[in-house]
Amino acid sequence: LSAEGYVIVFVSHDPRLAAQWSSRSIILLNGEILKDASVAEAFTTEIFSRIYPRAGIIVDRHPVTHAPWVRF
């Protein structure tokens, strides 16, 4: 749809779902933009460690799709 000029805004607290269905991400922390980039650039272990410091989140790449794969 983006090639046709459409934009879809998707809001989620589920990083796995967002990684699967989004091409771009704006990640907020305390109401401030922490990262505005492609999902591949924005979804990193470093970024999620800042958002969820005690969760032990690791971001790998999915073995088939190579999209970010968020593991808790």
Side-chain angles (χ1 to χ4, degrees), residues 18-40:
Q20 181 179 359
W21 294 104
S22 303
S23 59
R24 183 157 199 85
S25 181
I26 299 173
I27 298 176
L28 303 175
L29 178 62
N30 298 321
E32 301 290 327
I33 295 175
L34 183 60
K35 191 75 171 179
D36 178 359
S38 69
V39 171

Side-chain angles (χ1 to χ4, degrees), residues 1-8:
L1 291 173
S2 63
E4 297 174 23
Y6 291 96
V7 173
I8 297 171

Side-chain angles (χ1 to χ4, degrees), residues 23-62:
S23 59
R24 183 157 199 85
S25 181
I26 299 173
I27 298 176
L28 303 175
L29 178 62
N30 298 321
E32 301 290 327
I33 295 175
L34 183 60
K35 191 75 171 179
D36 178 359
S38 69
V39 171
E41 292 176 59
F43 280 46
T44 65
T45 300
E46 179 184 6
I47 291 292
F48 282 100
S49 294
R50 290 181 62 191
I51 298 168
Y52 306 108
R54 290 176 272 158
I57 293 176
I58 297 170
V59 181
D60 288 324
R61 296 291 169 212
H62 190 278

